[in-house]
Amino acid sequence: MKFLHFFAVVLLLFSCQTSSNKQLDVVFSELNTNSKASLRGLHVVDENVVWASGSGGTVLLSTDSGSSWKDVTIPGTEQNDFRSIHAWDENAAIVFGVAGPDFGYKTIDGGNNWNVVFRDTTSGLFFNSVKFANAQNGLAVSDPIEGKFFVLRTEDAGNTWTQVQDLPPVEEGEANFAASNTCIEYLPSGKAWIASGGKAARVFYSDDFGKSWSVSKTPMVRGLASSGIFSIAFKNNREGIIVGGIYDQPELNTNIASYTFDGGVTWQPAVTMPKEYRSCVEEVKSGDDSFVFAIGKTGCDISTDGGENWNFLSDEDYYTFRAIPGKLEGFAAGNSGRIAKVIFE
């Protein structure tokens, strides 16, 4: 690959092994995006097509595995921060912002034109994440309005959205985090999960494509506005992982990761925690090789046993990460327009 800009290649050996008992190396190769935006939205369609979004109304698109980037920033949205993004291919993508009244935008021509697909004048809306289970079914979540999370459903690929009414009430001071567009997990089976933080750290779960919800407690750190669950990922309908911590005290690592084997009904604290606060967790899988990767503003860790134990990898700092489907590779995004290709060898 020809990179317009090659930062440092960080090569690390570690003792963690995949399910095939193979030792891994990890390589971060920073790419040149020509952007200074804070990037917390990231979607990897395949090894070539990557979308990213963030502050200043920024949206970026690469169709050559990050070698070059097209700026498809939405005109007139410079005051918005698109922390949530989903893409179907190199032409179709949707973003949700934290400021309204025009929150959701969609393109079907590679970002040349954007149409508003969700507009709402309700005071206090702040969208933290959007996630699709398949091509048609998606969920979006905002901070609480009138004592409940403001959750939207779509069944037509994001063209129209309806508000979910059947939700448990939030606790006082409970909210979501828009740190990495991963506080929602949504599987093709119709099972969905939403992670919370703040004064509470709970997991809301649904088994009917987000129509109705229940909630479970977790052992995760809580009590501060900057504490709680920042990211959630499920390997299948039953095995899931949550990570987080305290954003402004990232060195604290008590109760910053948990796992479930029963679909999120009950959660157990990790035996060995990640080294520090983590804002994103994602499964990386290729054939029989699979592991869970967590990253944040102070580094990254890996777990090869479903989140029970974590091993520190690197102090490379990014907000979010997405794996390339079917490969031991992915992309990470962070502040100042930083995007890196990540390869596990």
Side-chain angles (χ1 to χ4, degrees), residues 79-97:
Q79 302 305 310
N80 214 330
D81 190 345
F82 293 120
R83 299 198 174 194
S84 305
I85 190 168
H86 174 84
W88 289 264
D89 52 37
E90 65 185 80
N91 295 309
I94 191 169
V95 294
F96 264 79

Side-chain angles (χ1 to χ4, degrees), residues 43-330:
H43 191 97
V44 176
V45 176
D46 55 36
E47 61 185 332
N48 294 312
V49 179
V50 183
W51 294 75
S53 62
S55 60
T58 299
V59 184
L60 303 175
L61 168 62
S62 176
T63 58
D64 54 12
S65 197
S67 294
S68 63
W69 294 86
K70 179 182 178 182
D71 187 339
V72 291
T73 295
I74 303 172
T77 65
E78 292 79 8
Q79 302 305 310
N80 214 330
D81 190 345
F82 293 120
R83 299 198 174 194
S84 305
I85 190 168
H86 174 84
W88 289 264
D89 52 37
E90 65 185 80
N91 295 309
I94 191 169
V95 294
F96 264 79
V98 302
D102 295 334
F103 288 98
Y105 294 80
K106 183 178 180 179
T107 181
I108 57 172
D109 60 4
N112 293 318
N113 296 280
W114 295 88
N115 295 315
V116 176
V117 291
F118 182 75
R119 187 177 196 275
D120 197 301
T121 58
T122 301
S123 177
L125 285 177
F126 185 105
F127 281 91
N128 299 286
S129 188
V130 62
K131 185 67 184 285
F132 277 74
N134 51 39
Q136 299 297 315
N137 290 276
L139 294 170
V141 62
S142 162
D143 283 339
I145 300 295
E146 297 181 351
K148 293 184 178 182
F149 286 128
F150 193 95
V151 178
L152 300 176
R153 297 179 63 247
T154 180
E155 296 178 337
D156 61 2
N159 294 314
T160 60
W161 297 81
T162 57
Q163 185 182 353
V164 177
Q165 300 298 329
D166 187 4
L167 283 157
V170 298
E171 296 183 7
E172 183 177 356
E174 186 174 17
N176 305 120
F177 290 112
S180 61
N181 186 32
T182 55
C183 70
I184 302 176
E185 177 64 291
Y186 197 9
L187 301 184
S189 63
K191 291 185 177 293
W193 299 265
I194 296 175
S196 76
K199 297 299 178 68
R202 303 191 294 170
V203 173
F204 294 70
Y205 59 95
S206 169
D207 60 5
D208 58 4
F209 289 92
K211 297 174 185 177
S212 61
W213 295 81
S214 300
V215 63
S216 61
K217 295 182 179 180
T218 77
M220 295 285 283
V221 62
R222 65 179 66 81
L224 301 173
S226 58
S227 67
I229 309 166
F230 282 73
S231 182
I232 184 168
F234 270 75
K235 298 172 66 176
N236 51 51
N237 287 337
R238 299 187 63 80
E239 299 176 75
I241 304 99
I242 48 179
V243 300
I246 305 176
Y247 177 80
D248 49 10
Q249 300 178 63
E251 71 280 1
L252 301 181
N253 78 335
T254 300
N255 291 335
I256 65 169
S258 299
Y259 63 93
T260 181
F261 290 141
D262 62 9
V265 178
T266 61
W267 294 86
Q268 306 300 321
V271 177
T272 306
M273 296 286 169
K275 182 180 179 182
E276 294 182 312
Y277 155 86
R278 299 294 179 246
S279 56
C280 182
V281 63
E282 174 98 341
E283 183 187 24
V284 182
K285 181 177 177 61
S286 176
D288 293 333
D289 294 325
S290 68
F291 50 87
V292 182
F293 181 67
I295 198 165
K297 64 177 183 176
T298 61
C300 57
D301 307 81
I302 191 173
S303 173
T304 59
D305 59 7
E308 292 187 53
N309 294 278
W310 293 88
N311 289 272
F312 178 68
L313 294 185
S314 163
D315 59 4
E316 285 288 308
D317 55 324
Y318 292 90
Y319 297 143
T320 191
F321 168 85
R322 293 295 182 280
I324 298 172
K327 289 182 172 290
L328 301 185
E329 303 177 13

